[in-house]
Amino acid sequence: MGGCVALVVAGGRGTRFGGDLPKQYRLLAGKAVIRHALEAFAAHPQVDAVQAVIHPDDATLFAEAAAGLDLPPPVHGGATRQESVRLGLESLAASDPALVLIHDAARPHPGEALIGRVIAALAVHPGAIPALPVADTLKRGADGRVADTLDRAGLWRAQTPQGFRYAEIMDLHRRFQGAELTDDAALFEQAGLTVALVQGSEENQKVTTQEDLLRADRAARPEVRTGTGFDVHRIVRPADGVFLCGVKIPADFGLKGHSDADVALHALTDAILGAIGAGDIGTHFPPSDPRWKGAPSDIFLKKAGDLVAERGGRIVNLDLTIVCEVPKVGPHRAAMEARIAAILGIEPTRVNVKGKTTEELGFTGRGEGIAAQAAASVEIPGSQA
């Protein structure tokens, strides 16, 4: 088969967490902890398949947690994490993937970028793990007292997913079967193989206690980001109308621009791109590119909306102000709001369009051009690292 498979290990009982329900099936932002991890790998463009390893007693819990996801049947794990990983790897032997990512189900937030960093490192190294440098001073304790201070230089906190070339990690799990090691990278270390360190993420923390679950819940909550956009286009005559918000308004003038010069949609596009940190309209549609000569600006706005969706986000609200003496915006406001909503696939109630004049002051007051200013509020999942 080749490709990359994510192995999500969920066979533990989570005794330190407490309670009757294993922590990987506890609810986090309305979904089981394990589902967050499964969704992250299933949605990643470089992951070809996701295989879960579960405790034999958790079949019903897993079925409920993974409902609606296109996953193969889960594999039953063993008495230890290492045995569960080995059994999961054995289940992949027939498909023989090139790469495997081994991830603890109790880490619900492996961000897309973090997964990508691990996979990228495997192009050069046989193994790679995400990790964070130790920032705190480390003390060795004895009998409730400080025994000495440890040098933290070069120390890292290992995370998952840990990535490996499948054939090598499978061989090592068979060779070291029964050994008690705390993670899969330790097998590579035993064999003298290189394991690369890539930047981990503070959001990719393991849920071990109730307090951890509360912190993970906060990380899972979406954050609202705001972007602004501004654009100006010169009025030219003669023409048969002007495009504003994708609506052609009859007039004896038009607007000058490489595309259809829809100043309102340009400002909105920049506002949405700004909210998600994706540059500006010129980044994606440079005016030097002949493909966009005379192009309808709804193409630009839709692209910005698609980028929000690709990040798992949604547009919460758009507020647009069109500054001009003519044409009058009021009679066309409802059509403008409906057109913007249709382009982006959102409810018209999330779009607000206003028209303002400058009391005949400045270039807009003299009828030399039209300006537009926009603000966009976008909701993005909290874990993006």
Side-chain angles (χ1 to χ4, degrees), residues 24-364:
Q24 58 268 35
Y25 300 107
R26 298 288 183 124
L27 290 184
L28 169 62
K31 296 184 287 189
V33 168
I34 187 176
R35 186 178 181 101
H36 289 272
L38 294 171
E39 288 180 341
F41 289 105
H44 200 282
Q46 294 174 279
V47 175
D48 300 290
V50 182
Q51 177 65 64
V53 182
I54 68 171
H55 192 281
D57 295 341
D58 294 343
T60 300
L61 289 172
F62 179 81
E64 293 173 353
L69 297 178
D70 185 16
L71 303 177
V75 175
H76 288 171
T80 65
R81 181 190 182 279
Q82 188 170 346
E83 186 178 358
S84 292
V85 172
R86 182 183 61 78
L87 292 170
L89 292 171
E90 295 282 8
S91 75
L92 303 177
S95 56
D96 191 27
L99 306 176
V100 63
L101 305 178
I102 303 172
H103 185 70
D104 293 332
R107 292 186 188 270
H109 300 313
E112 178 179 341
L114 182 147
I115 296 170
R117 290 194 290 271
V118 175
I119 294 174
L122 293 177
V124 181
H125 304 281
I129 67 170
L132 294 170
V134 173
D136 298 322
T137 297
L138 297 177
K139 301 288 186 180
R140 190 191 310 278
D143 299 324
R145 294 176 295 178
V146 172
D148 61 281
T149 300
L150 304 180
D151 183 2
R152 69 187 181 198
L155 295 180
W156 294 73
R157 292 184 286 138
Q159 298 182 326
T160 66
Q162 299 190 349
F164 308 95
R165 295 171 188 169
Y166 172 73
E168 289 165 317
I169 192 65
M170 181 72 266
D171 175 64
L172 289 174
H173 265 280
R174 288 168 176 163
R175 285 169 52 192
F176 290 98
Q177 186 173 341
E180 290 300 324
L181 300 172
T182 56
D183 71 353
D184 302 287
L187 293 172
F188 264 47
E189 297 163 32
Q190 292 275 338
L193 296 173
T194 301
V195 179
L197 290 170
V198 303
Q199 183 63 40
S201 168
E202 289 290 355
E203 293 180 344
N204 185 34
Q205 297 297 328
K206 190 173 183 179
V207 174
T208 302
T209 66
Q210 296 281 354
E211 291 75 16
D212 294 335
L213 186 63
L214 291 174
R215 281 193 293 272
D217 186 71
R218 287 193 293 271
R221 295 182 188 279
E223 61 182 50
V224 177
R225 302 180 182 179
T226 300
T228 61
F230 178 78
D231 198 26
V232 174
H233 281 283
R234 183 186 298 275
I235 286 176
V236 293
R237 290 183 171 85
D240 62 354
V242 59
F243 279 98
L244 290 174
C245 301
V247 177
K248 189 171 185 180
I249 300 173
D252 66 350
F253 63 86
L255 291 176
K256 182 179 180 180
H258 186 64
S259 63
D260 64 4
D262 191 326
V263 65
L265 291 191
H266 293 181
L268 276 174
T269 300
D270 269 354
I272 295 171
L273 293 174
I276 60 174
D280 60 14
I281 195 169
T283 304
H284 302 274
F285 304 98
S288 58
D289 190 332
R291 287 182 298 167
W292 314 123
K293 185 174 178 58
S297 296
D298 59 309
I299 294 174
F300 311 152
L301 185 63
K302 185 177 186 305
K303 173 65 174 180
D306 289 344
L307 289 175
V308 173
E310 287 173 13
R311 288 160 170 76
R314 70 184 185 97
I315 295 170
V316 177
N317 183 68
L318 299 174
D319 189 32
L320 172 70
T321 301
I322 302 171
V323 184
C324 59
E325 297 294 326
V326 288
K328 297 299 181 185
V329 171
H332 308 283
R333 180 182 291 115
M336 291 176 173
E337 292 172 347
R339 179 60 184 147
I340 292 168
I343 294 169
L344 293 169
I346 61 177
E347 302 92 337
T349 54
R350 298 189 180 277
V351 182
N352 188 61
V353 175
K354 307 185 295 292
K356 295 291 182 182
T357 72
T358 55
E359 302 295 335
E360 301 183 356
L361 296 174
F363 71 89
T364 58

